[in-house]
Amino acid sequence: MRVPLSWLAEYVDLPPGTSLDDVHAALVRVGLEEEDVHTFDLQGPIVVGEVLEFVEEPQTNGKTIRWCQVRVAPEGEQAADGGDAVHGIVCGARNFFVGDKVVVTLPGSVLPGPFPIAARKTYGHVSDGMIASAKELGLGEDHDGILRLSTLGVDAPAGTDAIALLGLDDAAVEINVTPDRGYAFSIRGVAREYAHATGAVYRDPAAQVPAATASADAFPVEVRDEAPIRGRVGASVFATRIVRGVDPTRPTPAWMVARLKLAGIRSLSLPVDITNYVMLELGQPIHGYDLDALQGGIVVRRAAPGETLETLDGKVRTLHAEDLLITDDRGAIGLAGVMGGASTEIGDATTNVLIEAANFDPVSIARTARRHKLPSEASKRFERGVDPAVAGAAAARVAQLLVDLAGGVADERGSLIHEAPAREAIHLPDGFVTGLIGVEYTADEVHDALAEIGGAVARVEGGFDVVPPSWRPDLTANVDLAEEVARLLGYDRIPSVLPVAPPGRGLTRAQRVRRGVADALAAAGGTEVLAFPFVTEAENALYGSTDGSPVASVRLANALDATVPFLRRSLIPGLVGVARRNLSRGSTDLDVYELGLVFLPEAGRAYGAAELPVGWERPSDAVLEELNDGIPAQPRHVGVLLTGDLLPKQPGRAAEPAGIADALDAVRRIAHAAGAEVEFAQGAHQAMHPGRTAEVRVGGQLVGYAGELHPTLTAEADLPRVVAVAEVDLDAIIALASDSVEARPIGTLPAATQDLSLVVRADVPAARVAAAVREGAGELLEQLQLVDDYRGQGLPEGSKSLTFALRFRAGDRTLTAAEASDAKLAGAALAAERTGAAIRE
C-alpha cells in the first residue's frame, strides 16, 4: 500500500517537518513493515508557461519542429532561472496552441531519470528549457504530446511554481500489508495505525460524510444467493446512490491525479478516478454504472451453467457456477467484487451514474479472481475482508465528489441492504495476555489498548468481553486480542530471551543423513538445485516407468502452469530442465543434484479429501486421518546429473568428460554418507542408454538407477550426447542402512598388491566377476578395484578382459608373496566356476 503524505495528513496530525523515514518508523512500531518510498523525483525551477507564439519549421529529416516563444514569468519580472521572462524553446509536439498554459522545465531543473535540463543548441536555435509532457513529469504514461494545463482544469499565471501547483511536491511511503490486515489497504486504516503509534489525533474520513441510506422509492436491489459457499451469502451489504447530470469529460483535478499516481494507480477519467480515490481513501471498492444502460433493478446471484460475460477488458468469459454476479433484467453485467461488465461501462456519453458499494464474501471473490486470472485492486481488498460498516459512507463520498467535481446533482433515490452479522464478544480472562506474551500488563493497559483499536470493551467477572471493530475481521479469538495488546503497547517491552532447548533432542537420524548426503555431493563439486516439481504426463510416463508400463500421476486441481499440471514421479525431468537452461546460457560443464520428494500414487485410487476442513478451527483426529489418507506416497529421492567436462583440459592433461562412471561414483558417495553398502548390476530403463544403465541395490533391494540418458532424449532436449544421471530412493537407503557405522582399524602391517586379469564373455557383468573374486580370495583380500575393461585385438570375439587391482593384508603378520598369490588364484578359481572366467595369459 502506497500512502501519500498529504493525504495521510488530512486524517491524522503529522508534526511539522515529518519525513518519510519518520512515518515509516512510526508504522513499523505497530507492525506495518516498510517497503519503499515514492516521489516524483523533480527538481525546479519548473514553472507554468504561456505559449505566446510559435513558428513551424520543417527539417531535412522529415520532422517539423516548433520554435516557440513562451512566457515563463510575469511581464517585467525575471524568470526563476535568472533569465528573461520570455524563453525561446524548441518543441517537437504539435498538440498545443497559442495561449495555452503549459509546464516549462527551465535550465537547471531535473526530471525523473535523472534528466537534467540545460539550454542547448538544436535545429538551429538555442532552446532555453523544455515544454514537458505528462510522462516526463511522472504524472502518467502519455508521451504523445505536451501537457496542456487546461486538460487538468488548471489555470495559473505564468511563472507559477508548477511543482506545488500540480501536487508534484508530495511523496508517499509504501508498506507491506499482510493478508490478515486488509484494513491497512486504505488511507483510513493507515492513518488510524499512525495514530496508534504516535498518539496523534485521528479523524475518521468515513464519519465526515453522511452515509447512504435507503430512500422511500429505493432503487431495486436483491441478493438471491441460492448456493452460498460454506453457507456464507455472497453479498451481506449493498448500498447504491444515484448522481444525475454528470459530465464525465471534465478533467480530473491535478491534486487527485498526483495522489493516485503516488498511490500506484493511473488516471483514466474523472468518474473512474473518483471511484479509485474513494477506494484508496476508505478501503471500500466502488463500482459505477451508466444508469441509462441498466435495464431494471440489480440482482446479485450465482452464475448459471454456460453463462458468459464480456468484462471491461474486452474479454468474453465463460462463467462458473460459483461466480457471484451483478445482473439486471437482461443478464450478467459484472463479476461481483472483481471486474465490471462492458455493457454498463461509464463512457464519455454517460450523464447519470449509479454508484455501488457492497460487501462480498472473501472466499467467493478470491476463487473467482483466481479462476478467471483477474487480480484487481478491488478483489485484493475483498479477499482480505472489507469493513461492512463503511459501504454507505463510501457510496455517499463518491456521490459527493461527482457533485463537486463532475457537476452532477445527487438524487435522493438510493438503497441499502445491510445484513452483515453482528460481531460476537470474545472473552479475555484476567492474566491471559500476561501469561501468553510474558510481559506484565495491568488491567487498565489491556482495556485501553483494546478500546484504542476500536473494540467495545466491557468489564465482566474474571476478565473482559471484547467486541472487535467491524474493520477487523481477523480478530476472532482471545489470542488475537493478546497480540493487539502487545502490538500497541510496544514490542520493545517483550524481553529478548532465547529459550533453552529441552535436553536429548536434535536432528533425527534421517535428517542427519540427508544433510550428510547433500554435504558429500557438494564437497565433490556438485551444485544443489531446486527444480519445480511439476511435469507433463508424458514425462511421468517416460521417467517414472522403467519399461513403459502405465503409471498413475497426481494431477493438480489448480496448476500454476497448465502445460505441466502433474506432480513428478522422478527428479530427472527437473534436472534435465536445469541443464538445458544452463547450457543455453553458456554453462557447458555441469554437476548438479537435487534432494526432493516424488509423488507415487497407486493406480485406480482417488486422492484428496472429500471435503476440505474450515480454516478457522483445528480439524479433528478423524479429519486429519482422512487428509493423510488422501495423500499419495511421497518418498524423498536424490537425483544427480553430470555433463560436459568434470575436469577441464590442462597443460599436459586432457579433459575428463563425465560419463556413467561418474554417475556410479555419485551413488557411492550417497551410500557412503548414509552408511550403506551399495551394489550395482546391469539394468534397463526406457529413458536410459541400453548397455550403459546400472541397477542400484542396497541389501539386495532395488533403490534406483544410474547411467547415461538415452541419446534420443538428449538430442530432443538440446543436450550433449553423453549426459550421466542417477536417481535413488534416499528414504529406502536410510531404512536399509545400518544405524551405526563400525570403524575399521587401520592396518599397520605391510600390504601385498597384485593384479588379476580375467577374460570373460562380454555379456557377463563385471560386478559378478568381482563378487566371485572377492569371495574366493577370502579374508586376506582388503581391497578390490576394477581398473581396466579391455575389448579388442588379442581377445576371442565376444569376450572382454577385466583387470582388478588387489590389495592383501593380514592383521597379525606380514604376508608372503606366495600367500597373496594363493589368495588371488583362489579368487580366480571361484570366478571361473561361476562366470567362466579365465586368467588372461
Side-chain angles (χ1 to χ4, degrees):
M1 175 68 185
R2 299 182 181 183
V3 184
L5 293 197
S6 66
W7 204 351
L8 181 67
E10 289 187 6
Y11 304 118
V12 67
D13 292 337
L14 298 182
T18 300
S19 67
L20 296 171
D21 289 341
D22 294 336
V23 175
H24 260 153
L27 296 177
V28 166
R29 285 200 296 273
V30 287
L32 294 173
E33 180 183 354
E34 66 175 281
E35 286 286 327
D36 204 352
V37 297
H38 301 272
T39 65
F40 285 102
D41 294 328
L42 297 172
Q43 179 180 322
I46 300 175
V47 300
V48 174
E50 180 182 359
V51 180
L52 300 179
E53 63 178 8
F54 59 79
V55 177
E56 294 191 344
E57 299 178 353
Q59 304 297 311
T60 57
N61 60 3
K63 183 177 180 180
T64 298
I65 62 97
R66 287 180 173 180
W67 171 237
C68 309
Q69 299 301 311
V70 184
R71 181 177 298 283
V72 295
E75 187 174 356
E77 295 186 12
Q78 198 175 43
D81 65 339
D84 296 335
V86 177
H87 281 34
I89 299 175
V90 173
C91 185
R94 306 179 66 183
N95 68 321
F96 60 95
F97 308 95
V98 172
D100 274 345
K101 297 290 183 63
V102 295
V103 177
V104 178
T105 57
L106 298 175
S109 60
V110 180
L111 295 179
F115 181 58
I117 303 299
R120 64 189 184 96
K121 188 173 182 179
T122 180
Y123 295 109
H125 301 281
V126 175
S127 184
D128 202 13
M130 186 182 77
I131 306 175
S133 69
K135 184 174 183 178
E136 288 162 340
L137 294 171
L139 273 175
E141 299 302 318
D142 185 7
H143 196 53
D144 294 335
I146 59 98
L147 174 64
R148 301 166 61 212
L149 293 181
S150 60
T151 63
L152 296 177
V154 173
D155 187 16
T160 302
D161 183 0
I163 293 179
L165 179 68
L166 300 179
L168 303 179
D169 54 351
D170 201 359
V173 296
E174 183 175 359
I175 57 174
N176 178 35
V177 179
T178 54
D180 61 328
R181 300 178 73 178
Y183 67 93
F185 273 119
S186 67
I187 304 297
R188 179 193 188 208
V190 176
R192 182 183 285 111
E193 289 300 313
Y194 182 85
H196 293 337
T198 64
V201 176
Y202 169 69
R203 297 171 291 276
D204 189 352
Q208 298 181 24
V209 59
T213 56
S215 61
D217 181 21
F219 183 85
V221 175
E222 180 183 359
V223 177
R224 192 188 303 159
D225 187 0
E226 298 175 353
I229 298 176
R230 297 183 181 175
R232 298 174 62 175
V233 176
S236 58
V237 178
F238 205 101
T240 65
R241 288 292 299 271
I242 295 174
V243 180
R244 302 185 183 275
V246 169
D247 181 2
T249 63
R250 283 194 182 185
T252 301
W255 58 267
M256 183 177 287
V257 173
R259 285 184 175 180
L260 290 174
K261 176 65 178 178
L262 280 176
I265 292 183
R266 181 166 55 99
S267 174
L268 296 174
S269 67
L270 180 57
V272 174
D273 291 347
I274 287 174
T275 59
N276 285 333
Y277 186 84
V278 174
M279 176 186 68
L280 292 172
E281 186 172 68
L282 300 180
Q284 169 67 58
I286 305 288
H287 189 70
Y289 302 89
D290 185 332
L291 180 63
D292 298 327
L294 285 170
Q295 296 184 10
I298 283 179
V299 175
V300 183
R301 61 170 174 81
R302 301 287 172 179
E307 195 168 3
T308 61
L309 169 66
E310 182 182 356
T311 46
L312 288 174
D313 57 1
K315 294 183 180 180
V316 177
R317 303 180 184 275
T318 300
L319 304 176
H320 187 274
E322 280 190 354
D323 290 337
L324 191 67
L325 303 181
I326 308 297
T327 69
D328 64 3
D329 289 352
R330 62 186 162 185
I333 58 173
L335 273 173
V338 179
M339 183 175 285
S343 61
T344 57
E345 180 181 7
I346 295 176
D348 290 345
T350 300
T351 57
N352 301 318
V353 175
L354 175 72
I355 304 161
E356 166 212 300
N359 192 276
F360 299 114
D361 174 47
V363 174
S364 180
I365 301 307
R367 291 186 180 182
T368 295
R370 284 158 178 73
R371 185 180 300 116
H372 296 284
K373 298 180 180 178
L374 266 179
S376 64
E377 291 292 330
S379 65
K380 179 168 67 177
R381 286 163 172 79
F382 281 125
E383 289 174 13
R384 291 160 173 79
V386 171
D387 182 0
V390 81
R397 174 66 166 151
V398 173
Q400 179 189 67
L401 291 173
L402 285 174
V403 171
D404 294 344
L405 303 178
V409 176
D411 193 318
E412 294 299 325
R413 191 181 186 201
S415 57
L416 177 63
I417 296 176
H418 197 294
E419 298 177 353
R423 299 295 299 271
E424 295 184 0
I426 302 171
H427 182 64
L428 188 66
D430 286 333
F432 178 82
V433 178
T434 294
L436 183 66
I437 306 299
V439 176
E440 286 292 336
Y441 296 111
T442 66
D444 288 342
E445 285 181 319
V446 172
H447 176 279
D448 293 346
L450 295 178
E452 186 177 347
I453 65 170
V457 186
R459 182 68 184 178
V460 297
E461 184 178 353
F464 297 102
D465 280 350
V466 183
V467 179
S470 58
W471 57 85
R472 294 298 302 272
D474 57 307
L475 303 181
T476 60
N478 51 19
V479 290
D480 301 324
L481 299 178
E483 182 180 351
E484 289 299 294
V485 172
R487 184 173 70 89
L488 265 65
L489 295 180
Y491 291 128
D492 56 325
R493 289 182 59 175
I494 303 175
S496 300
V497 178
L498 186 66
V500 179
R505 298 187 183 182
L507 297 178
T508 65
R509 173 174 172 264
Q511 290 171 329
R512 290 195 303 272
V513 171
R514 288 199 291 267
R515 291 192 179 188
V517 167
D519 290 345
L521 293 173
T527 300
E528 186 172 8
V529 297
L530 292 174
F532 282 112
F534 313 122
V535 296
T536 64
E537 191 171 22
E539 286 175 321
N540 266 348
L542 176 64
Y543 294 99
S545 170
T546 59
D547 55 5
S549 56
V551 294
S553 297
V554 177
R555 186 185 186 103
L556 295 170
N558 187 19
L560 292 175
D561 184 347
T563 62
V564 283
F566 293 91
L567 290 174
R568 64 188 177 191
R569 293 183 62 94
S570 167
L571 301 181
I572 302 302
L575 293 175
V576 168
V578 169
R580 184 176 186 177
R581 186 162 52 255
N582 280 272
L583 284 165
S584 70
R585 288 158 173 77
S587 299
T588 57
D589 304 325
L590 299 174
D591 179 357
V592 295
Y593 68 94
E594 179 177 8
L595 281 76
L597 300 178
V598 297
F599 305 86
L600 308 179
E602 299 176 12
R605 178 180 171 184
Y607 289 92
E611 184 177 351
L612 292 176
V614 296
W616 58 83
E617 60 184 30
R618 186 186 187 280
S620 64
D621 292 341
V623 171
L624 289 174
E625 184 176 354
E626 181 186 356
L627 290 173
N628 289 327
D629 288 342
I631 299 174
Q634 300 178 34
R636 190 177 300 274
H637 282 199
V638 183
V640 179
L641 182 146
L642 310 100
T643 190
D645 294 333
L646 290 188
L647 288 177
K649 182 179 179 180
Q650 303 174 45
R653 182 173 183 175
E656 296 184 14
I660 182 175
D662 302 293
L664 298 179
D665 280 344
V667 174
R668 291 189 186 98
R669 290 189 194 97
I670 294 169
H672 180 74
E677 292 290 338
V678 67
E679 302 170 353
F680 299 108
Q682 186 69 40
H685 194 292
Q686 62 174 341
M688 302 181 76
H689 192 301
R692 290 182 176 271
T693 303
E695 292 182 348
V696 180
R697 295 181 178 274
V698 173
Q701 180 175 324
L702 179 66
V703 295
Y705 288 85
E708 296 176 6
L709 281 182
H710 200 289
T712 59
L713 296 180
T714 59
E716 291 174 1
D718 300 318
L719 297 177
R721 186 178 184 279
V722 177
V723 177
V725 295
E727 182 173 8
V728 294
D729 186 337
L730 183 57
D731 286 349
I733 291 176
I734 294 173
L736 294 168
S738 173
D739 289 346
S740 60
V741 178
E742 182 179 348
R744 297 177 181 176
I746 298 175
T748 58
L749 295 172
T753 59
Q754 295 193 18
D755 290 341
L756 174 63
S757 294
L758 298 175
V759 178
V760 295
R761 297 191 314 276
D763 60 350
V764 175
R768 285 184 56 199
V769 180
V773 172
R774 184 178 290 106
E775 183 179 344
E779 294 182 355
L780 294 179
L781 180 62
E782 183 179 73
Q783 184 182 53
L784 177 148
Q785 185 175 357
L786 177 65
V787 295
D788 187 42
D789 183 339
Y790 174 74
R791 311 177 191 210
Q793 187 176 359
L795 294 179
E797 186 175 353
S799 63
K800 61 183 177 182
S801 172
L802 302 176
T803 300
F804 299 95
L806 310 177
R807 186 170 70 199
F808 299 94
R809 194 194 308 265
D812 57 350
R813 68 187 186 282
T814 299
L815 289 179
T816 64
E819 288 178 306
S821 296
D822 289 344
K824 177 182 73 173
L825 294 176
L830 187 58
E833 178 183 337
R834 293 184 177 177
T835 66
I839 297 177
R840 184 179 177 185
E841 299 296 337

